[in-house]
Amino acid sequence: MQPYDLDQGAPEAMAKSKVLVVGGTGYIGKRIVKACLAQGYPTYVLQRAEIGLDIDKLQMMLSFKEQGARLVEGSFSDHGSLVNAVKQVDVVVCTMSGVHFRSHNILMQLKLVDAIKEAGNVKLKLVDAIKEAGNVKRFLPSEFGTDPAQMGHALEPGKATFDEKMTVRKAIEDANIPFTYISANCFGGYFAVVYMDEDDIGTYTAKALDDPRTLNKALYLRPPENILSQRQLVEKREKLSGKILEKVEVSAEEFLASMEGMDYAQQAGMGHFYHIFFEGCLTNFGIGEEGEEAFDLYPEEAMAKSKVLVVGGTGYIGKRIVKACLAQGYPTYVLQRAEIGLDIDKLQMLLSFKEQGARLVEGSFSDHGSLVNAVKQVDVVVCTMSGVHFRSHNILMQLKLVEAIKEAGNVKRFLPSEFGMDPAQMGHALEPGRVTFDEKMTVRKAIEDANIPFTYVSANCFGGYFAGNLSQLGSLLPPRDKVCIYGDGNAKVVFMDEDDIGTYTAKALDDPRTLNKTLYLRPPENILSQKQLVEKWEKLSGKTLEKVEVSAEEFLASMEGMDYASQVGVGHFYHIFYDGCLTNFEIGEEGEEAFNLYPKVQYTRMDAYLKRYL
Ligand code: NDP
Ligand code: GO6
């Protein structure tokens, strides 16, 4: 067991379709297997009888099994075995070898063309098997390239590729098999128009195979920043290498003329290049009714995952953000402060992060250069600097981090330590509690003055400080007999499971929709009044508590004689429970709501949260 287990996939996993990948050890197939496993699908991979002595293939199969896939034996020359295989699942993804040329090796290309030809009829066998089995809810045939429906005019002999795929489509549709066709455009490694990273093709395919919005549609992968002309691509290369290449312009006529005398496989390839680079066939049509665009549907997957640095990673909320970043597959960096000294718990936690794949970066707030060096290594910085007066309160220390980010100049987004009430709403807050908001606003101003892109996460009430104790000050446990009810107890509050704050923060940190915005965490079922919270506890515990109503005046008067940290707490509670400051405003243009953006996150409801206190 890992110490901070964040298994946000689990509740979703139950509902996920069972997926069979046919062709799972292939170039694109293995990435789809990986993405299906990563996204929590029960994943089956066809293990062909023909595997023989191909030790690499077998090893790959075994590694899939180790990662949780189930291997299903079958063969394309044994119809019954295919039927048996597809009978076990809901969705079949086929990545049978297709239209791409791995190199200019002429003989290899010949073999590939043969394989493509063969694939055409082999896949029909699969279609027959699916038809006969009758249980498959969706079939994704081997497409993953140029949309064949757009290629009726294609040149011979390259046209064969598209014709065969259209034959497969016809067989699928004639058999009334529900489908999704993935038009993945160019695999980045081969040729370059809409360029796609192969792992992203796997990710989008796994996302789409269960999504009702892609049912009986073609899914086009067109992430906007990957739509590039050949010239733009070359420019990028030149920038990276610092070397200018000589450009030799080839006219369409010359290009087509060069096909003469080439072998069949090469001619097919030339034809495809012609349509892509001279016609622009990947982008010269709008996506109609029959299609969907992957970037539109899954904007959160659009970019290669950003590198994230968490500053304050061993803190109460910080460690949960680190866990969520790791779980969501971000390359995750955690600042290891030089000041750690003999704090053995902190060090052990950092080591456990490292074990889980995080990179530790040494640095100190009293060494500007070390902070610059740390932030230079990443795209996004999340700071969870302490901000609870009776623990420690160092919100303004973040100004040093802002200076470092400004100097480094590479950071695409900064999430400062907020994670509470929206300080922008708290201009009227009472002394001395307002210091929390004033300092957070000072940090915001420094960020915005330095033109650093940001997201502010307004996480509302941590369950541990506000729910488990039924919102009682000075205690973290539910009261046994009496509970103080603030006013009429009806002001709406938002209670959050701390792990969910980690999950939403990790989701938002490279989402274009949250750029330069405040993200409010308001999952609908967690918007509760204090009374409703108490009711839930009474139901769970089977015990009714005596309610002591406290008026606003009494509550504020109680501040007198308290120490500073407690006065801060009373002020915050006052605004939350008497003003209703967490919910008495609408989210405007400058904000987004997390449940809206990420409806699939199975957030923890407060009954489940309170169960832990029974
Ligand atoms: P913690 O008290 O757990 O501290 C977080 C981290 O701050 C520490 O782990 C440490 O980082 C860093 N830190 C502390 N002192 C120093 C220092 N002198 N120099 C450098 N780093 C330091 O913070 P919380 O998780 O409680 O608070 C984080 C945010 O959440 C705050 O903005 C707070 O206001 C907010 N919050 C909101 C609540 C709510 O109900 N909404 C409740 C509680 C907090 P390291 O890991 O490097 O040692
Ligand atoms: C948490 C607290 C709880 C104070 C925020 C005294 C910033 C926020 C909801 O850590 O002062 O007993 O938004 O006796 O924006 C502390 C502070 C509350 C808890 C608030 C916080 C909340 C900071 C106490 C207590 C449980």
Side-chain angles (χ1 to χ4, degrees):
M1 267 300 280
Q2 293 171 339
Y4 310 99
D5 203 30
L6 190 140
D7 190 7
Q8 49 135 173
E12 276 180 63
M14 315 287 293
K16 291 236 168 180
S17 297
K18 293 183 198 163
V19 182
L20 171 69
V21 182
V22 176
T25 66
Y27 182 70
I28 208 68
K30 64 183 169 224
R31 290 164 163 98
I32 291 175
V33 171
K34 204 177 108 191
C36 286
L37 288 168
Q39 290 178 32
Y41 291 99
T43 305
Y44 296 64
V45 182
L46 187 75
Q47 179 179 332
R48 285 190 299 122
E50 289 77 9
I51 200 160
L53 295 181
D54 189 335
I55 194 166
D56 290 325
K57 215 184 258 294
L58 185 71
Q59 291 297 321
M60 198 186 296
M61 286 283 182
L62 293 178
S63 98
F64 290 154
K65 191 158 105 185
E66 206 165 69
Q67 291 162 63
R70 247 164 283 182
L71 306 182
V72 190
E73 286 178 54
S75 166
F76 276 88
S77 40
D78 175 357
H79 178 69
S81 74
L82 290 182
V83 174
N84 169 61
V86 303
K87 271 208 169 140
Q88 302 183 39
V89 298
D90 308 303
V91 176
V92 178
V93 183
C94 181
T95 57
M96 181 71 63
S97 50
V99 193
H100 49 259
F101 300 84
R102 285 177 186 271
S103 70
H104 293 288
N105 183 318
I106 290 156
L107 283 177
M108 276 258 300
Q109 290 179 15
L110 265 179
K111 281 191 196 163
L112 251 174
V113 171
D114 283 345
I116 291 159
K117 275 189 179 160
E118 193 183 315
N121 58 50
V122 168
K123 270 181 301 181
L124 291 179
K125 289 188 191 169
L126 190 57
V127 173
D128 284 342
I130 291 170
K131 192 167 149 187
E132 184 176 324
N135 62 302
V136 170
K137 291 196 306 217
R138 193 154 351 170
F139 179 41
L140 288 75
S142 190
E143 293 251 343
F144 306 104
T146 308
D147 181 8
Q150 302 289 334
M151 303 306 293
H153 66 292
L155 294 172
E156 295 290 2
K159 188 169 190 299
T161 309
F162 310 120
D163 290 347
E164 289 179 9
K165 286 185 177 176
M166 288 308 284
T167 305
V168 176
R169 285 192 180 191
K170 186 165 181 317
I172 293 168
E173 293 172 31
D174 284 352
N176 276 319
I177 297 169
F179 60 84
T180 299
Y181 305 137
I182 308 280
S183 178
N185 298 311
C186 293
F187 295 179
Y190 294 132
F191 40 70
V193 196
V194 188
Y195 301 90
M196 288 300 302
D197 176 275
E198 290 81 349
D199 287 332
D200 291 344
I201 297 174
T203 302
Y204 283 126
T205 302
K207 283 254 158 195
L209 62 82
D210 223 0
D211 186 337
R213 297 171 297 180
T214 60
L215 184 62
N216 297 337
K217 295 218 169 156
L219 178 70
Y220 297 90
L221 310 190
R222 288 188 184 178
E225 291 185 40
N226 287 14
I227 304 176
L228 299 169
S229 66
Q230 194 199 4
R231 278 194 189 279
Q232 288 172 311
L233 185 80
V234 171
E235 233 167 67
K236 280 185 194 288
R237 171 73 217 173
E238 289 179 334
K239 234 184 197 160
L240 275 175
S241 65
K243 222 181 117 183
I244 304 293
L245 299 168
E246 184 191 338
K247 322 276 179 307
V248 185
E249 281 197 20
V250 181
S251 72
E253 294 69 34
E254 285 174 286
F255 187 83
L256 288 175
S258 73
M259 263 164 82
E260 228 191 87
M262 284 182 178
D263 64 67
Y264 180 87
Q266 221 164 350
Q267 286 189 355
M270 294 288 285
H272 296 172
F273 266 67
Y274 174 77
H275 294 296
I276 291 168
F277 291 100
F278 290 93
E279 270 182 14
C281 72
L282 299 182
T283 50
N284 68 2
F285 62 96
I287 297 172
E289 282 292 284
E290 308 280 86
E292 288 290 345
E293 199 288 310
F295 177 83
D296 273 351
L297 297 186
Y298 318 110
E300 71 277 11
E301 300 294 339
M303 279 165 271
K305 290 251 173 188
S306 300
K307 292 185 197 165
V308 183
L309 171 70
V310 182
V311 175
T314 70
Y316 182 72
I317 206 64
K319 67 186 167 217
R320 291 164 165 95
I321 292 174
V322 171
K323 281 294 300 180
C325 287
L326 288 168
Q328 290 178 33
Y330 291 98
T332 305
Y333 296 63
V334 182
L335 188 74
Q336 177 182 333
R337 286 190 299 123
E339 290 76 11
I340 198 161
L342 294 182
D343 189 335
I344 195 167
D345 287 326
K346 219 184 256 297
L347 184 72
Q348 290 297 322
M349 198 186 296
L350 288 169
L351 294 178
S352 101
F353 291 153
K354 191 158 103 183
E355 207 164 69
Q356 293 162 62
R359 249 165 282 185
L360 305 180
V361 190
E362 286 176 53
S364 166
F365 274 81
S366 39
D367 176 356
H368 174 71
S370 75
L371 291 181
V372 174
N373 167 61
V375 304
K376 267 206 173 143
Q377 301 182 42
V378 299
D379 306 302
V380 175
V381 178
V382 183
C383 182
T384 56
M385 179 66 74
S386 57
V388 171
H389 280 87
F390 59 72
R391 275 163 74 82
S392 113
H393 197 273
N394 290 301
I395 292 298
L396 287 180
M397 280 230 339
Q398 294 181 96
L399 294 174
K400 295 191 188 178
L401 192 56
V402 172
E403 280 306 307
I405 291 171
K406 194 165 145 186
E407 184 175 324
N410 61 298
V411 170
K412 291 195 309 217
R413 200 172 320 190
F414 179 42
L415 288 75
S417 188
E418 293 250 345
F419 306 107
M421 299 181 233
D422 180 8
Q425 302 288 335
M426 303 305 294
H428 66 292
L430 295 171
E431 296 287 2
R434 62 172 301 125
V435 62
T436 307
F437 314 119
D438 291 344
E439 292 187 357
K440 285 182 178 176
M441 289 306 283
T442 303
V443 174
R444 284 192 182 191
K445 186 166 182 316
I447 293 168
E448 293 172 33
D449 284 352
N451 273 320
I452 297 168
F454 61 84
T455 298
Y456 305 136
V457 178
S458 177
N460 295 312
C461 286
F462 291 8
Y465 284 125
F466 291 90
N469 55 4
L470 306 184
S471 311
Q472 304 301 290
L473 278 160
S475 163
L476 296 176
L477 291 168
R480 289 173 184 281
D481 313 303
K482 283 197 274 197
V483 60
C484 285
I485 299 292
Y486 304 116
D488 59 10
N490 289 327
K492 290 286 187 187
V493 177
V494 188
F495 298 100
M496 290 298 303
D497 175 278
E498 288 84 346
D499 286 342
D500 292 343
I501 297 174
T503 301
Y504 285 122
T505 301
K507 290 235 167 223
L509 62 80
D510 72 353
D511 187 337
R513 297 171 299 178
T514 59
L515 184 62
N516 297 333
K517 295 217 169 155
T518 299
L519 179 71
Y520 296 91
L521 311 190
R522 290 188 182 176
E525 292 186 42
N526 286 10
I527 305 175
L528 299 168
S529 66
Q530 193 201 1
K531 272 216 172 124
Q532 290 173 311
L533 183 77
V534 171
E535 243 165 56
K536 283 185 192 293
W537 173 251
E538 290 181 330
K539 230 183 204 161
L540 279 172
S541 65
K543 221 183 122 186
T544 305
L545 296 170
E546 183 189 337
K547 322 273 179 312
V548 184
E549 284 201 13
V550 181
S551 71
E553 295 69 33
E554 286 174 281
F555 188 71
L556 286 176
S558 75
M559 241 199 238
E560 230 191 86
M562 281 183 174
D563 60 51
Y564 182 81
S566 304
Q567 289 189 0
V568 169
V570 170
H572 293 179
F573 271 60
Y574 175 78
H575 294 298
I576 294 169
F577 292 100
Y578 291 92
D579 281 354
C581 73
L582 301 182
T583 53
N584 68 2
F585 63 95
E586 297 289 318
I587 297 171
E589 281 291 285
E590 307 279 85
E592 289 289 346
E593 198 288 311
F595 177 78
N596 268 333
L597 297 186
Y598 316 110
K600 281 204 188 145
V601 171
Q602 295 286 325
Y603 64 91
T604 301
R605 274 56 169 182
M606 281 305 119
D607 352 41
Y609 194 95
L610 287 174
K611 263 196 190 141
R612 302 170 192 164
Y613 293 81
L614 278 174

